[in-house]
Each structure stands twice: as C-alpha cells, then as structure tokens.
Amino acid sequence: MITMDIPYKVIIIDDDTINNTLCSVVIRKIATDADIQTFSIPEKGFQHIAHEAPADEKPVLLFLDINMPGWSGWVFLENFEKLDEEIRKKFKIYMLSSSIDIQDKERAKASKSVVDFVVKPLTTNKMLAILEANS
Amino acid sequence: MLNEFLQEQIRNHLGSVDELPPQYRALFEEISMEYEERENARQEKKKMTANLNAIINSYGDLIFSVDVEYKILCANDAFLSAMHRLTGHTLHQGDSLLVEDIGEEWVLQWKPYIDRSLLGEKMKVDISETQGEKLQYLELSFNPIKEKNEVIGVACFSRDTTKEKLNAKQLLANEVRFRSLIENSQELLMLFDEKKNIVYISPAVEDTLGYTNEENHRDILEDIYPDDHMSFLEQFELALENAGTPIPSTLRMRRKEGGYFWLQGSLTNMLHQPGVHAVVGQYRDITEKKSTNEKLRRSETHLHTIFNNADTGYMLLDKNLKVVYFNQHAQKFAQEELFNTITEGRHVLDLFPIGRRDSIAKVLEKVLEGNTVGYDISYIQPNGTEKWYHAKYFPVSNDSQDVFGIILSLTNFTEQKLADQLIKESNDRFKLVARATKDVIWDWDLLTDEIYYGEGYEKNFGYQHTKHFNSIYTLLERIHPEDRERVSKGLRAAIYDPQVDSWTDEYRFIKADGTEAYIHDCGYIVYNDKKRPIRVVGSMQDITARRIVDEKLLKSERRLREISSSIPGVVYQFMINGLGAASIPYISEGAQSLLGASPEELEGEFDLKMEKVHPDDRDIFMKSVELSAATMEPWLHVFRVFVPEYRGYKWIRGNSIPKRMEDGGILWNGTMIDVTDQKITEIELRKMAADLIQRNKNLEQFSFIVSHNLRAPVANILGISSALQEERSENQVEQELREGLYASALILDEVLMDLNNILQVKQEINEIKETVYFIKLVSDVKVSLKTQLESSQAIIKCDFSEVGQMHTLKSYVQSIFYNLIFNSVKYRRPEVAPVIQIRSKRINNGIELAFKDNGRGIDMLENGNQIFGLYKRFHTEIEGKGMGLFMVKNQVEAIGGRISVHSEVNKGTEFRIIFEDK
C-alpha cells in the first residue's frame, strides 16, 4: 500500500464518533502518518482552533459536520468568521455531512469560508480529490 | 288907386282925378279902398248866399228859416215845393209863413215848435203825414238863430224819415220776431264783431257750450279747435268780403267743461245791417244732429268706460285724420309699439314711424272713400317675441254717406295668433302623422253605402279607385275568407246595437299584390237624433310588422319559459317594493324540484321570517339581501333551505341582480341552483385538504428523518463497508461478504437519496422565486456532466432566442434541465453521437420548453403511461433506477407546468414542458 505525506493537519469536528473514526481510517489509508485531530464537541473544537491550532506550522483541513447538538456547523462557521484573518487563512473548511438536503449544500457553497460540501461517508477517492484540489 | 265908382264921381264932379289935390287924393284913395273892400265883401256874401242857396236847394230835405215875424228868410226849393204841395200856396222869400188860408192844421203843427225855438230852444220833432196812401215821416229840427244873444229867427231842417221810420218799424218787428226765434231755437247763434270777438251768443249756445253772455267779447278763436282756426279765418274773411252772403262754415268748438262739438252752419256779414251790426254765425250742433255722431256722443260715457276697459285700442279720427278721441289701450299701443304718445288733435300719421306712413296714408285714403280696411301686423318685442295686432279702420259717415271720420281699432290677438299657430302646427303635424302612420282612414255612409278611404288605402294596400263609391262589400271582399264572416257579423252587430258606439277587430286583409296584411280596424259609429246609425268612421292599422314581432315575442317568451322551467334550478324575481313589502312576482317551474314548492305556492307575498331557511342561515341571508339593496351590487348567497321531499336541508346558491324600480323599490332578477352536492363535495374536500396538510407535515417530518437521522448511520455503514472491502480479506468467503455488505449499503444509500429527493420537491415550493436564464442552466449542466458529455461526444444545440428566461424556482428548473440532458446522454444510441436540441418558445399565455434527442426512444405504445412513474426503467442494460423522469414530472408540476413526451424507438425522444401564466 502506498502512502503519502500530506502537508496538512486534519481536524474533524463531528458529534458522531463513528464517523470520526471512519474518517481517520480513510485518511490514514492514504497517509499513514497524517496528523489528525477529532472533536466530538464542536465548542471544544472551536476553542482548539481559536487558541492552539494557530501555533502549528501546517495549514489545516477542517471537516465540519452540520447537524450537531450544541453548536451546529453553521453556528461554528459564524464564530469562525469572527476570528482574525491570520488565523482564518490557515483553515480549509469542508462541510462533511450526512445531509442530502439540497438546501444545506447550497448554503454551504454560499458561505465564503467553506471550500466545499462533502457528502458522508468520506471515501479515499473523495479524500484524494480534496488533496488534489489543494496541492 | 281909386275905384271905378269914385273915378266916375270925381270926373263927374271935379274933372280929372289927376287934378285932385294930394290931400283929397289920399282921402279918396282910402275911401276907394274901403268901398272896394265893402263891395268885395258884398259880392262875396252874395256869392256865398247863392252858394248856400244852391247847396240847400240841392238837398232833398226841407230847409228854411224865418224871422221873428215868421217871414221867410231863406228857404230851399224842396221846402217851397213841399209848402206848395201841402198848402197850395206858392211862397217866396220875404213872405210870411202865416199867410192866410195856409191851413190851420199845418200852422198848428209848425207854429208851436217855431215859437218855442224863438224862445231859444233847440228841438227835434218827428211828424208824420199821410200822402195819399203813403205815410210820410219827417224829422224836424228847430234851431234858434242868434245874433248878439238875441234870437232873430229860427232855422229849421226837416228830414224825410219815412224810409227810416218804416225800416225801423220793420226792424223792430223783425227784431222781436227774430229774438223770440233765436232765443227759442236750437240753433246756435253767435254774433261777432269784425274783429271776431263774440258779441252775442244765443241761449242754445249757452246750453250747449256752457258759456254765458257775460263772458262775451272775446276772440272766438280761443274757443275753436286749433286745427279749425285756419278754415274758420278763411270763412270769416270770405264773409266779410261778401256782405250779406251766408258762407258755409264747419268748426269744432270747445265746451266749457272740455271736449269739442262739431258745429256746422254759416257765417253772414251783417255788419252793415241796422240793428245787427255783426257777423252772424248760425250753427247747428252736428254732433247732435247726425245720428252716428249722436249715438257716439250719447254713448260716449258708456263707451269711454267700455273702450278703456276693452282689449281693443280705439282711435277716432276726424276727416283730417286728427285724433279726436282715443282710449287707454290705443295709448298703450302707441307707447309700446310706436314709441309715441297720442294726444287729441294729433295727426294720426305722426304716430307711426316714417317708413309706414305712406302705406297707412293709403289705407286712410281708402277708408275716407267709405271702405273698411283691416290688416294684421306684428311688432317685434324687445325680448324677441312677436305681438300681433289686428288693425281695422271704419269710416264714420252721416246719412248722406259723407265720411267725416275714421274709427281705428287695434286688437291684440297675439295669444290667438299663437293658438292659431299651435293649431296650425298641430294640424300640420296631424297631417304629417297621418301621412307618416300607415293608418288608413275610412268613412262609411250607412245611408248611401258609400265609403271613403284616406289616401293611405291606395298607398298601403295597392288598390286603386279608393276615393268614393266603394261599397262596404269591397272592403269585406278583401278580407281573408277565413276572417270575413266574423268581421262582417261583428261589424253589423256593433252598428245595430244602440248601446255600442265603437267597433274593433283584427283580421287578415288581402292586398292588391295578393299578400296578407294583419289589420287592426277600429270604427266609431255615428248616430242621428233618432239613435239611428248613419255613419261609421274608422281607421285601419297595418299591424303585420307588429304581429310578426308579437309572434316572435310570443315564441321567444315561450322559449324562455321553456328554458326557465327546464333548466336546473329556478329563475325568479324577488321584489321589495317602495313600502318595504317583499314578494316573489315570478318563479319558474323548477321551484317544485328545487324548493319542494310550486310556483303557485311561492309567487306572491314573501314571508321574511323565512321559516324554511336553515336557522343558522337566516340572519346572514337577510343581511346579504340588505347589503345588495344598499349597494345595488348583485346578490350572491349560499344558504340552506328545508325541502320536505329531500327530508333535509338543501344547499341553494342564489345569484340575482338588483334593479331600482320607479316606486323606489328594488327588483332582483336571478337564478337559484341546487349546490348541495357541490357543497358536500366542498366540505369533503376541505376535510381532505386538512388531512393532506397533516399528512404533508408528517411527510416533512419523515423527510427530515430520512435526510438527517437515517442518512447519518447509513453513511457510516457505507463508509465502513467501503473501507472493509478495500482492505481485502485473505479469506475468500470473508472478502465476498465484505463486498456484499458494501453493495447493499450502496443501494440502501441510493434509495435513501431518492426518497429524500422526492420528499424535498414538495417542501421546496416555499423557496423564493428568481429569474432563471436558460442558457446559464445549460452551461451549469455541461460542467456537471462534463465527463459524460465528452466521452459520448454529445452535441447540445440551444435556441432561446424567443424566450431567454423565466421567473421560477431555480433549483427545480436546474434539476429538470440536468435530468433531461443526462437522460439523453444516458439513453443514446450506441452507434450515434447524441444530439440534444433545446429550445424555448413563447406560446399564447406562457412558455414552452422542448428537449429533443436522437436517442433510443421509448416504445410509447407499451410504456406511454408509465414513462413518468417511479422506479420505471425502460432500458435495463443501462444503469439507472427510474428516478429521473419521476422527479422531472414532479418538479415541473410543482412550479405550475405540464410535461408531455413524444418518442419513437431508435429515432429519439422529445419532451415538451409548458408553463402557463395563471
């Protein structure tokens, strides 16, 4: 199995831990040593992004779920957009949702902070396409 | 110088005169002069005496003088011959008057007067003597001759006054007779002096004119009518020139109390006439004498009243055309129409405007010739209307037909004129109407059986010889045979029934051209004194046209009635009259089945209690009627009525239009239909709709569950199974199981996706509409299907030139475009590159979109009704799960469109979508 190095840190924020595990498995299939961090509580994920992640050197691929208890993905985005430009520019946000609701998809695409909308499950093909787009 | 007598004496006594001594000579000369003077005086005296004698002898009157001894001093021949005649004595100068035998009578007559005169008395004595049969009168004047205050004689003059005396006697007798005559006569006698001053007026004048003799001695002209002055002066002058000749005279004299009298008579100059010494005017009051005038004058007072109160203006003109009399109306006429004022004595022509004087003068001339002239004349009033007068001029003449005046009467007959005009107009109108209407007037004389037809007979019916001598049978023959007997009987019955005075019938009449006319005939029967019918006057009215219209109306009425009774529901009239009473004037047959009551039961008064109406609906029902009445808007109302046959309430929908009536009430014309079924359906539908809304909510709920709650675990299963089958197990069986798990998860996810899509269509309808550009949609699809389009070498041809955009839900149209294009690529013919033609077109009231391809096509016969069904797949060899067209149809309908398909196997498919404006 060929693995590759990816120049990103990956953060996954989803209350569904199964999905978090799955995503980690899929990403590690591509890059065994990938730096992956998962948050099942969106508020905590945000705290990390706002205060700790900027210290990292690598840019971040952020997979964000929409439907979560507490902060939804949209609320998370609203708060994200309040952060400094310096912080924000380090993050490539992908909405990762099981929702097949067209409205969600449209809304995500309309948001300037979101790169794309990815329908769950994240597969190796989808991940490869993302990496290719960001290379 | 010495006179001849002295010279002769001197010569006789002294010789020559020259020889006389100067002193004597002067004396002689003086004597001579004195002598001469004395001689001259004597000669003079002698001459004078001779002259005097000659003078007195030339007198026819007796002149003589006597001295104190009655000796004749002088006497003229007339005296001497008279003495001779009377006494028979021939006397001479120097003889005594008292000679013997001179006659005692004579002496007695003369001597006392001479004696008295010798005593110094002057006297005049009238004596009379009879000379044969002739009585002679003498006037004797005795004058004493005085010398140095001593009477030396008496001079006597006698004048033969026989003529005078006789005249005076005659005059006296005349005077007495005359006076008694004039004082008792009706003749007006006026005496004027030569200066036209009145010196005497007779009592008749006093009576007539009211003057008294005390007021005399004034100029008569003051009392003569001014216009008569000239003629009177002429007459007076003529009288003066022709003494004794009566000059005819006519004049008007003023009465003391006003007004003038016509006097006719003569003027005679009798200034020379002893005892008269006046110009005598003898006049008769011709106003009295002439009957016309008399009547006029006598009735003047009455006439005055009458004239002034009459509507007619009167003017009395004399023959010089001067106004003698006029009444108030005449004055009014003059003031209003001639802008002039009438005064007595004014020339009538002066009253008229100059332009009319000639014509009026001609009229007056004719009238003066004895003609009566009348004419009508109108005067334009300031307000533009006309005032009409009838002017009439009557000559006023005496018994001998001499016109001496004119009466002018002016009658305002404007109203009459207007009335006449109206009558004339109305007559004209009547004639026009008679001509315009096609009525034929007929007049049947029952005694002669002659019948007269008006001109319309020929005109309307084409028969000639319509004037006269047509028997009633002519008329009857021309009546349609089927009607003839009835008409004839009816007419005869009417004529011979004294209680009936008119007859009316309608029948068919055969015109000259053979066509039939419907006639309405109406006759009035005229009876004589004995109640016998003598005439029938009638009119035939051609009512063919009306008849046709009537028949049409009847037919139409019948048809309407049929319609109204056969249509479902009822046609009705509902009325609330001016007093507020409600009624149903008409309701059609349908009432029986609709309301369970016959028209007979319902027509008439309407009970506003509305017991049959559902109690819940009564108030609203009344309010709706009141609203319609107040606004005059149509009444549209649905209400329930209890129908016994139906054993329940029926829903009725009333629809009527109000109309204001003359009495202030309102009449509604309308219909009522049974809407019970609709109403029930409506109620059911409403219930259903409510159910559907609930179900829809449930679906939305379900949809949310699918897209979120269900989808999340499925995604996980899919992801895990995918990862597992990628891991590849060494165990062959295990690997097959991993792949099976993954395949199932994949299908599960697809079904879930489809389900979600279907549910979302209904939900998204709330999206906001926006303008969608078709060309943009196509390019979006091209991006999405880039791989498929390139690999299949598909060509997309677009024509959106006619309509480029539409206002709708973007996501739906997007999906429609995507699915249809993708379908064409998917179901292309393997050997042919797909060509997809998309075009838009404007149709009547919307847009048509057409998607045409050259693909495999669908067997319409076999699958036509299933094309848009869910999970219908027609090409099993190609991947697809039969969702696309189902989705397209759903989305098209969701945004208000229709989709249709036309397809042929191996040729291609065309989808047409029509969006119509609502």
Side-chain angles (χ1 to χ4, degrees), chain B residues 227-241:
Chain B
D227 285 334
D228 295 346
H229 284 186
M230 278 307 293
S231 58
F232 180 78
L233 287 174
E234 281 169 17
Q235 290 155 6
F236 198 85
E237 210 58 43
L238 207 61
L240 287 179
E241 285 168 18

Side-chain angles (χ1 to χ4, degrees), chain A:
Chain A
M1 182 129 189
I2 305 150
T3 64
M4 57 191 277
D5 286 331
I6 53 170
Y8 296 102
K9 179 181 178 180
V10 178
I11 296 175
I12 303 161
I13 300 172
D14 192 347
D15 63 315
D16 182 358
T17 50
I18 298 171
N19 178 61
N20 289 346
T21 311
L22 180 60
C23 286
S24 302
V25 169
V26 168
I27 294 165
R28 288 222 164 85
K29 271 190 187 174
I30 298 165
T32 319
D33 302 324
D35 180 1
I36 302 169
Q37 201 170 358
T38 63
F39 296 91
S40 59
I41 296 165
E43 289 88 340
K44 281 194 175 166
F46 184 77
Q47 289 300 321
H48 173 77
I49 284 168
H51 301 109
E52 295 161 41
D56 294 335
E57 287 173 11
K58 281 193 261 182
V60 180
L61 284 178
L62 177 65
F63 291 95
L64 180 63
D65 188 21
I66 295 170
N67 294 299
M68 294 179 285
W71 282 13
S72 73
W74 308 122
V75 177
F76 185 97
L77 278 177
E78 278 172 34
N79 285 293
F80 175 78
E81 279 159 15
K82 287 175 189 162
L83 297 173
D84 289 343
E85 166 73 17
E86 279 303 306
I87 300 170
R88 282 190 281 120
K89 71 179 184 187
K90 283 190 79 173
F91 293 89
K92 305 252 182 226
I93 302 177
Y94 287 82
M95 299 302 280
L96 181 67
S97 175
S98 63
S99 172
I100 37 181
D101 190 327
I102 293 170
Q103 281 179 14
D104 284 345
K105 194 175 177 179
E106 295 288 329
R107 190 173 169 185
K109 283 188 170 174
S111 170
K112 56 179 181 179
S113 308
V114 177
V115 179
D116 206 350
F117 183 89
V118 181
V119 178
K120 286 179 184 176
L122 182 73
T123 58
T124 46
N125 283 340
K126 286 176 186 168
M127 191 60 204
L128 284 170
I130 290 165
L131 289 172
E132 198 183 332
N134 286 291
S135 61

Side-chain angles (χ1 to χ4, degrees), chain A residues 16 67 98 100 119-120, chain B residues 708 711 716 726 753 756 760:
Chain A
D16 182 358
N67 294 299
S98 63
I100 37 181
V119 178
K120 286 179 184 176
Chain B
H708 295 97
R711 169 71 174 119
N716 283 346
E726 277 171 12
M753 292 271 221
N756 185 58
Q760 264 186 352

